[in-house]
Amino acid sequence: LERKKEAPPFGSNGWAVSPARSAEGCAILLTDPHLTWEGLAVFYELRIHTQEVDLSGFALVGSPLIALGHNAHVAWACTTGGPDTSDVYMLKLNPANPMQYEYDGAWRTAEVEQITINVKGQDPVNRMIAFTHLGVVFEPPDLEKGIAYAAASPYFEQTGLFEQMYRMNLAKNCDEFYAALGMNQFMEQNVIFADTEGNIQYVRVGAVPIRPEGYNWSAPVPGNTSATAWKGIHDIADLVQIKNPPQGYMQNCNISPAVMMPDSPMTPDKYPDYIYNVRWDTQNMRSKRALELLGAHDKITKEQAMAFATDVHDVYAQAWQQALRVAADLDTTGKTQQPEMAGSIQSILDWDGAYVKDSHAAVLVRFWRQACRDNQLDTKTIDSGMPLDDASQGKLLDALMQAVETIKSRYGRLDVTWGDVHRVGRGGKYFPVDGADYGGGVGAWETLFDVRGKEQDDKTYVAESGSMAVQLIFLKKDGVESYTCTPWGQSADPNSLHYVDQAEQLYAMRTLKPTWFNKDDLLQNVETKRVLTVP
């Protein structure tokens, strides 16, 4: 099977606010996974009311358990990232029998299995799989050198994920939720959770092997000796975590625990490298913006929380505007006096930094930054607000001129707006949408409300990934309130009224709908009913 050239997009936003910083007097939690909207990663929204538990949130297709969301007591969010849970062992093969590998001075024989992979529309693919006691051999052995590589992961032998999620779904408070996480069946994730008692908590979870010291576990380690054998699995108490930080809020938008809040105590010097497992301590555009918003308000209202969840502000807008202002003021070439350039510069300088449907400047900025990256301009210096050298200032203006020509070439005119080229929908029904897609890191274009578009034949972009299961949860003691937004609709049937209704009425408008978590409220808003008889 050919390996896919494009990795699936991943990322997420998650944050929690304590009652002390909430105008609602309760903990507030946001879960906002950024995944593809079709395929294996698809979530569907559901509500469950049983004698045992009430649930609201999003689940993977085929599962009745909430993956992200809340019950009547606890809410939780996950973002990609976590400890190092897997290793690679280098095996020494027997020259006389390549199906044997050395271990503690003796030869062991790998177990071999022939598997068939059925491929739709094609002939089945047959593969031979070799298993060792350390793990599966994941690529063809190098017989000339007499070595092979085995992948080792605790997850290969674990079957308790469903049970753990069941316990997470039934948790009555953060302590019970923490105990469920302690089963170590969950994949590597940054998990933020909160409860109606006012607690907010974070754990960087994963089934982490206890590794012998003296080896570089970021590279293949010798697999011919029991000296490199794991010594069990770390208890959850060993993992990176915090409960009720004095700052009163936390966020993780796929970043290091060290920058989840101001003066974070979760620094890498306190943990083994493979538990902390972060090679950077900087913020991305989403986390920087989240901290700006959460830190700027002592008492966050419901309206502010909703605005934070769907924020489309460019956190580097002012820095780029300043760089452009300086470059334009110092220009002696006459570039800035050309009518189209002069108008574009003024449009960008007047921009409020929001990627919204009616913004002309947002389109200019998007293609301007693309041109800067293509021309290897030092965008990190611009992001930081530091001055550019003379040569870079000239390149900055050249990149804007290039962006102007690109827009005219792609769309036939320069005065297009963000909504003209950035849409959401499916099945022939598309609507202009706010929010920016991921542009490849620092110096790109990305907002908290993450809307990633795929280029179409007409050079516009139709969103197909990003924010896809937004849920904002207010954990009030007298009853949890929550609000959601999905990008298309609840039904996958093109003939259904709910095939694309949320795209038009909610997602494109950056509006959240109530989930009516109280069952009596829900029953007053039921459209249809279906009774299933279980034999």
Side-chain angles (χ1 to χ4, degrees):
L1 294 175
E2 291 186 5
R3 189 172 298 175
K4 293 186 69 174
K5 294 182 179 179
E6 290 187 15
F10 66 89
S12 299
N13 298 337
W15 50 257
V17 174
S18 72
R21 295 184 68 92
S22 164
E24 299 295 312
C26 65
I28 307 172
L29 183 136
L30 172 78
T31 175
D32 176 17
H34 301 165
L35 300 168
T36 55
W37 297 350
E38 291 187 301
L40 294 177
V42 168
F43 287 115
Y44 69 97
E45 185 174 358
L46 78 160
R47 292 276 303 280
I48 297 174
H49 294 283
T50 71
Q51 292 180 345
E52 192 172 24
V53 66
D54 298 306
L55 293 164
S56 171
F58 295 85
L60 291 171
V61 173
S63 169
L65 295 177
I66 297 294
L68 300 167
H70 68 92
N71 60 28
H73 311 282
V74 183
W76 59 97
C78 299
T79 73
T80 301
D84 181 2
T85 61
S86 303
D87 290 314
V88 174
Y89 285 99
M90 185 171 64
L91 307 175
K92 179 182 177 181
L93 302 180
N94 184 352
N97 181 359
M99 299 311 298
Q100 292 183 330
Y101 60 99
E102 183 185 24
Y103 196 74
D104 282 347
W107 295 112
R108 293 195 179 194
T109 301
E111 296 181 13
V112 179
E113 181 180 341
Q114 191 79 16
I115 65 170
T116 299
I117 304 171
N118 293 317
V119 182
K120 185 177 181 179
Q122 301 180 34
D123 294 333
V125 175
N126 297 309
R127 288 287 187 269
M128 184 181 72
I129 307 297
F131 298 92
T132 74
H133 78 286
L134 294 171
V136 65
V137 177
F138 63 89
E139 63 180 21
D142 187 331
L143 299 180
E144 184 176 330
K145 295 182 179 179
I147 60 174
Y149 294 95
S153 171
Y155 295 107
F156 292 163
E157 304 295 329
Q158 292 186 173
T159 59
L161 177 59
F162 197 84
E163 180 184 352
Q164 176 175 319
M165 290 186 63
Y166 180 73
R167 291 179 58 183
M168 291 163 59
N169 276 221
L170 266 60
K172 295 291 196 298
N173 51 44
C174 280
D175 289 343
E176 290 188 10
F177 193 87
Y178 182 84
L181 292 177
M183 293 178 64
N184 283 327
Q185 302 291 309
F186 214 57
M187 67 290 291
E188 308 93 329
Q189 291 284 291
N190 297 292
V191 182
I192 298 176
F193 48 109
D195 63 23
T196 54
E197 297 174 11
N199 298 298
I200 61 174
Q201 198 163 350
Y202 162 80
V203 186
R204 190 170 170 85
V205 304
V208 188
I210 302 173
R211 295 162 166 109
E213 296 181 359
Y215 296 92
N216 178 14
W217 293 95
S218 63
V221 295
N224 64 335
T225 171
S226 57
T228 58
W230 294 338
K231 299 181 178 181
I233 301 297
H234 279 279
D235 187 85
I236 189 174
D238 297 336
L239 305 182
V240 186
Q241 58 194 282
I242 195 168
K243 185 175 183 179
N244 295 328
Q247 294 86 344
Y249 62 93
M250 63 176 81
Q251 61 78 34
N252 192 294
C253 300
N254 313 114
I255 44 86
S256 164
V259 291
M260 285 179 57
M261 63 200 78
D263 302 317
S264 171
M266 297 178 289
T267 51
D269 56 295
K270 298 182 177 70
Y271 305 90
D273 287 345
Y274 63 82
I275 286 182
Y276 201 79
N277 195 36
V278 177
R279 300 292 179 262
W280 67 94
D281 60 0
T282 55
Q283 298 169 8
N284 58 37
M285 296 178 74
R286 289 175 288 113
S287 69
K288 186 177 178 67
R289 179 60 174 168
L291 284 179
E292 283 184 358
L293 294 171
L294 296 173
H297 301 85
D298 293 332
K299 294 290 184 181
I300 296 172
T301 66
K302 181 185 296 185
E303 292 72 22
Q304 287 171 332
M306 289 184 173
F308 298 170
T310 58
D311 184 79
V312 293
H313 181 78
D314 185 328
V315 74
Y316 292 132
Q318 290 186 349
W320 279 74
Q321 288 168 325
Q322 177 61 19
L324 179 60
R325 184 179 292 107
V326 171
D329 289 345
L330 296 178
D331 176 53
T332 59
T333 66
K335 299 174 187 174
T336 59
Q337 303 305 312
Q338 299 175 19
E340 288 182 339
M341 272 291 285
S344 297
I345 290 172
Q346 192 60 51
S347 179
I348 293 173
L349 295 181
D350 292 340
W351 186 41
D352 64 359
Y355 283 90
V356 293
K357 295 183 284 288
D358 60 354
S359 173
H360 165 59
V363 183
L364 285 168
V365 171
R366 183 252 186 266
F367 286 100
W368 176 37
R369 289 191 184 170
Q370 179 71 56
C372 288
R373 287 170 46 199
D374 292 345
N375 297 330
Q376 280 76 53
L377 193 65
D378 185 5
T379 57
K380 291 184 179 180
T381 295
I382 302 175
D383 293 342
S384 68
M386 299 295 290
L388 294 170
D389 57 36
D390 292 344
S392 295
Q393 289 173 356
K395 289 181 180 180
L396 193 70
L397 295 177
D398 290 340
L400 182 54
M401 292 184 68
Q402 180 180 331
V404 168
E405 294 305 316
T406 297
I407 294 169
K408 290 163 56 180
S409 174
R410 289 174 67 94
Y411 306 115
R413 57 191 177 92
L414 184 58
D415 61 341
V416 291
T417 65
W418 191 249
D420 290 333
V421 303
H422 204 229
R423 298 169 294 155
V424 65
R426 59 179 173 177
K429 297 179 180 179
Y430 301 102
F431 312 95
V433 67
D434 301 341
D437 60 325
Y438 179 67
V442 177
W445 46 96
E446 184 184 26
T447 58
L448 280 172
F449 190 60
D450 188 84
V451 186
R452 309 179 195 180
K454 182 177 181 180
E455 187 172 348
Q456 307 298 301
D457 291 341
D458 62 359
K459 302 299 183 181
T460 64
Y461 297 86
V462 172
E464 64 168 7
S465 62
S467 294
M468 47 85 77
V470 179
Q471 186 162 32
L472 183 64
I473 305 150
F474 299 87
L475 292 140
K476 298 181 178 181
K477 291 184 178 181
D478 59 351
V480 177
E481 290 182 21
S482 60
Y483 301 83
T484 59
C485 179
T486 58
W488 286 333
Q490 187 70 354
S491 174
D493 180 0
N495 296 317
S496 170
L497 295 174
H498 304 295
Y499 180 64
V500 75
D501 57 337
Q502 292 194 44
E504 179 181 13
Q505 300 173 39
L506 297 174
Y507 202 86
M509 307 305 293
R510 284 191 290 137
T511 300
L512 306 181
K513 67 181 184 298
T515 64
W516 297 303
F517 184 60
N518 180 286
K519 190 175 180 180
D520 291 336
D521 294 336
L522 174 66
L523 293 177
Q524 295 179 34
N525 291 278
V526 170
E527 183 174 302
T528 60
K529 291 183 180 182
R530 179 177 298 177
V531 177
L532 302 180
T533 301
V534 180

